[in-house]
Amino acid sequence: MVKIFIDPGHGGSDAGAVSNGIQEKNITLQIAKKVQDILQNEYSNVSIRMSRTGDSTVSLSERTNAANSWGADYYLSIHINAGGGTGFESYVYTGVGTPTTTYQTQIHSAVISSTNFQDRGKKQANFHVLRETTMPAILTENGFIDTKADADKLKDSSFITSIARGHVNGLVRVFQLEKKVIDSGNDGTALYKVQIGAFKNRDNANSLAAQAKSKGFDTIIIQSGNLYKVQIGAFSKRSNADSLASRAKSSGFDTIII
Ligand SMILES: [Zn+2]
């Protein structure tokens, strides 16, 4: 198991940067939760802890202590920039060597390619969360909250997903995370899977999955050949699959049972 500690910056009484009608603490939590969701839904050999899962005040020492005592393999701190500018930058601790800088390179480039953020470069800084963690650590600054064009992107949930997906893609490469294999039951019984769509483009699958989630369905995206299949359930009893399919149909989804 690879243990990833995810740290959504700020929270509670510390809003972080605030501008253009949004608060850094909320955006960092949205991104962090999305990273957690994707990792847990799609990858098998990863275990996640978060420095916070709601709008709570957590000190910097509490964050790094939690990661250190858990024995995390990696510390990912998520922030939004401010002060005028645009794009993405990432930080590791000053003077640190490999593997931390190698990990930074992978995650940095994965976020840039997933978001098309302007690349402000890979940087080093003496930040508490980078200095006081006993494992490799990175801090990412995902756009500028006080630049309207960046703030507008950060208000869009599909863009939040792109940011999260970029971080995940980097983590997958760094730690060789393994895709979950979901297939007919281990006990040999066939499963009836309720599928609401299949796409060549991952983003289309993500957006359909998000729609289904917002309507209360559990979703999973399964990669099969060159298709991303969006499924909302798998059952050993056909009648259970039928009843979920009809619930999905009445919520407006095209469903097939495979
Ligand atoms: Zn911050």
Side-chain angles (χ1 to χ4, degrees), residues 85-110:
T86 183
F88 176 82
E89 62 196 26
S90 66
Y91 289 89
V92 296
Y93 184 52
T94 314
V96 81
T98 55
T100 305
T101 51
T102 315
Y103 297 173
Q104 179 185 25
T105 300
Q106 298 270 26
I107 289 164
H108 188 102
S109 67

Side-chain angles (χ1 to χ4, degrees), residues 10 24 79-80:
H10 312 279
E24 181 180 0
H79 286 255
I80 309 300

Side-chain angles (χ1 to χ4, degrees), residues 131-164:
R131 184 183 65 241
E132 301 299 328
T133 37
T134 55
M135 69 292 304
I138 190 170
L139 183 148
T140 62
E141 294 278 6
N142 300 274
F144 282 72
I145 204 165
D146 55 352
T147 295
K148 188 174 182 302
D150 282 10
D152 285 347
K153 290 180 183 172
L154 295 169
K155 291 174 186 172
D156 174 359
S157 70
S158 70
F159 191 76
I160 296 293
T161 302
S162 302
I163 296 175

Side-chain angles (χ1 to χ4, degrees), residues 7-224:
D7 174 30
H10 312 279
S13 60
D14 169 17
V18 177
S19 190
N20 285 306
I22 49 177
Q23 303 188 18
E24 181 180 0
K25 65 175 182 178
N26 296 331
I27 308 294
T28 60
L29 185 61
Q30 287 171 23
I31 298 168
K33 281 185 160 171
K34 202 66 175 179
V35 172
Q36 179 190 34
D37 278 357
I38 297 172
L39 287 173
Q40 285 179 343
N41 289 338
E42 300 180 18
Y43 294 91
S44 58
N45 59 332
V46 62
S47 164
I48 313 285
R49 283 212 191 161
M50 308 262 285
S51 60
R52 63 184 179 96
T53 54
D55 184 20
S56 47
T57 307
V58 186
S59 73
L60 293 177
S61 305
E62 286 170 329
R63 293 169 199 248
T64 52
N65 289 346
N68 292 345
S69 63
W70 183 40
D73 294 305
Y74 198 53
Y75 189 100
L76 168 62
S77 189
I78 295 170
H79 286 255
I80 309 300
N81 227 328
T86 183
F88 176 82
E89 62 196 26
S90 66
Y91 289 89
V92 296
Y93 184 52
T94 314
V96 81
T98 55
T100 305
T101 51
T102 315
Y103 297 173
Q104 179 185 25
T105 300
Q106 298 270 26
I107 289 164
H108 188 102
S109 67
V111 174
I112 294 291
S113 71
S114 158
T115 58
N116 285 318
F117 261 141
Q118 183 183 313
D119 188 350
R120 301 173 57 84
K122 297 185 286 281
K123 303 182 177 182
Q124 305 205 341
N126 180 9
F127 293 150
H128 175 103
V129 296
L130 301 178
R131 184 183 65 241
E132 301 299 328
T133 37
T134 55
M135 69 292 304
I138 190 170
L139 183 148
T140 62
E141 294 278 6
N142 300 274
F144 282 72
I145 204 165
D146 55 352
T147 295
K148 188 174 182 302
D150 282 10
D152 285 347
K153 290 180 183 172
L154 295 169
K155 291 174 186 172
D156 174 359
S157 70
S158 70
F159 191 76
I160 296 293
T161 302
S162 302
I163 296 175
R165 178 66 62 188
H167 286 80
V168 167
N169 291 345
L171 291 168
V172 166
R173 266 177 241 157
V174 166
F175 293 104
Q176 279 144 31
L177 301 181
E178 291 157 13
K179 270 265 173 201
K180 264 185 190 169
V181 178
I182 311 267
D183 218 287
S184 46
N186 300 332
D187 57 354
T189 50
L191 285 183
Y192 297 101
K193 297 167 193 164
V194 183
Q195 182 172 311
I196 57 172
F199 303 92
K200 284 194 176 149
N201 183 324
R202 168 117 221 174
D203 293 338
N204 293 336
N206 287 338
S207 88
L208 181 64
Q211 274 178 50
K213 256 192 185 152
S214 74
K215 293 187 178 172
F217 295 97
D218 274 335
T219 62
I220 183 160
I221 298 173
I222 307 214
Q223 189 175 3
S224 151

Side-chain angles (χ1 to χ4, degrees), residues 215-218 232 241-253 255:
K215 293 187 178 172
F217 295 97
D218 274 335
I232 56 173
D242 284 336
S243 80
L244 179 64
S246 71
R247 191 159 68 83
K249 262 183 198 145
S250 63
S251 294
F253 296 103
T255 62

